[in-house]
Amino acid sequence: MDNEFDLIARYFSRPAPQGFLGVGDDCALLPVTAGQHLATSTDLLIEGRHFFSDADPQALGHKSLAVNLSDLAAMGARPSACLLGLSLPSVDHQWLAGFAAGFYALADQAQCPLVGGDTTRSASGIVISVTVMGQVDKRLALRRDAAQAGDDIWITGSLGAADIALKLLHRKLPMDGDLLAATRPALERPLPPWQFAQGLPGLAHAALDISDGLLQDLGHILKASACGAELQFGAVPVHQEVQGLGPATVLQAVLAGGDVYELCFTAPADRRAAIQQLADANGQRVSRIGRIVSEPGLRVWAEDGSPITLDAGGYDHFS
Ligand code: ADP
Ligand code: MG
């Protein structure tokens, strides 16, 4: 027992929706719509690097799909289906059951069925690789190179919590059980705005998800679009539990903290009402935090009008 086929049959063989060929054949087959691009993205999560060895398997199942749904949302794409590659050092049924439960719960919620994957034994440590596929209108995908001078800069949700949770867990902040409990869901169970994002093509120009920190990620849009930005720090929504911390800690967490999985997008000023309406219809918080300008560079202003500088631009995996 417990060979690869038993594991797939037991944990990863839920039926695919009508019109799909799911797990069990050499390839999955999915319907595609005329006039749409296939949007696809993949992310690796490695034990000890992206998650702690004792991480709750259910949260891990959730997060491994969530980070990929975030990439689809960042293009304005609607999820179609996903693939799961799993490399495991040993067979732990409790872990597998928890992981599958967390994964499928989010897949169901986002209507992103699991239609295939690969399962192997690893030499050491767990490796999780998820690939998502989605669809987006050919002309309206939210590319990083599409920002224009005069665009508003928006973000979804609030910032800071995931970074504080990570710092608490890494003992870079003095342990505070209440603060950890309040910020941990943002780190371990992010809910990217996949529903709201599907309404953005046609309203927004450029978008990306804030996986490496607001300043660093916004910098990618500025570079690709050959423009600059002015940000009002006072307009950036700070997670409620983070607001009371020291100003330097808040600044760092909000501007440079990664692992956020909210969207930053740009849109012409005449779309403000339509964007707010889209947000309200989806119960999505959105905030307008600045604007795109033609002069290169990213300038952040404090509420008193003084410039804010920050040395660490974000999280770089090779630094
Ligand atoms: P192949 O030999 O063609 O690679 P496998 O024996 O690896 O096929 O997998 C059998 C079936 O199970 C395939 O349809 C594959 O997509 C699916 N599968 C394997 N691992 C997973 C997984 N972790 N999650 C979902 N589907 C999986
Ligand atoms: Mg295989």
Short mmCIF file of all heavy atoms in Angstrom, two decimals, residues 37 173 192 282 295 310:
data_model
loop_
_atom_site.label_atom_id
_atom_site.label_comp_id
_atom_site.label_asym_id
_atom_site.label_seq_id
_atom_site.Cartn_x
_atom_site.Cartn_y
_atom_site.Cartn_z
N HIS A 37 -7.32 34.73 -23.67
CA HIS A 37 -6.00 34.13 -23.52
C HIS A 37 -6.03 33.12 -22.39
O HIS A 37 -6.78 33.30 -21.42
CB HIS A 37 -4.96 35.21 -23.18
CG HIS A 37 -4.26 35.76 -24.38
ND1 HIS A 37 -3.96 37.10 -24.51
CD2 HIS A 37 -3.77 35.16 -25.49
CE1 HIS A 37 -3.33 37.29 -25.66
NE2 HIS A 37 -3.21 36.14 -26.27
N LEU A 173 10.70 40.14 16.40
CA LEU A 173 9.96 41.04 17.29
C LEU A 173 9.71 40.25 18.57
O LEU A 173 9.57 39.03 18.52
CB LEU A 173 8.61 41.43 16.66
CG LEU A 173 8.59 42.49 15.57
CD1 LEU A 173 7.18 42.61 14.99
CD2 LEU A 173 9.06 43.84 16.11
N PRO A 192 -6.67 36.04 -1.66
CA PRO A 192 -6.50 37.05 -2.70
C PRO A 192 -7.85 37.40 -3.33
O PRO A 192 -8.76 36.59 -3.33
CB PRO A 192 -5.58 36.36 -3.71
CG PRO A 192 -5.65 34.91 -3.41
CD PRO A 192 -5.99 34.78 -1.97
N ASN A 282 -18.41 43.32 -4.50
CA ASN A 282 -17.67 42.13 -4.09
C ASN A 282 -17.27 42.15 -2.62
O ASN A 282 -16.48 41.31 -2.18
CB ASN A 282 -16.43 41.95 -4.96
CG ASN A 282 -16.78 41.49 -6.36
OD1 ASN A 282 -17.11 40.33 -6.57
ND2 ASN A 282 -16.75 42.40 -7.32
N GLU A 295 7.52 61.39 -14.69
CA GLU A 295 8.89 61.46 -14.18
C GLU A 295 9.26 60.16 -13.47
O GLU A 295 8.54 59.71 -12.57
CB GLU A 295 9.00 62.62 -13.19
CG GLU A 295 10.41 62.91 -12.76
CD GLU A 295 10.44 63.85 -11.54
OE1 GLU A 295 9.44 64.55 -11.32
OE2 GLU A 295 11.45 63.85 -10.83
N LEU A 310 13.25 54.60 2.61
CA LEU A 310 13.32 53.26 3.19
C LEU A 310 14.43 52.54 2.44
O LEU A 310 14.45 52.54 1.22
CB LEU A 310 11.97 52.57 2.93
CG LEU A 310 11.60 51.39 3.79
CD1 LEU A 310 11.19 51.86 5.17
CD2 LEU A 310 10.43 50.64 3.15
#
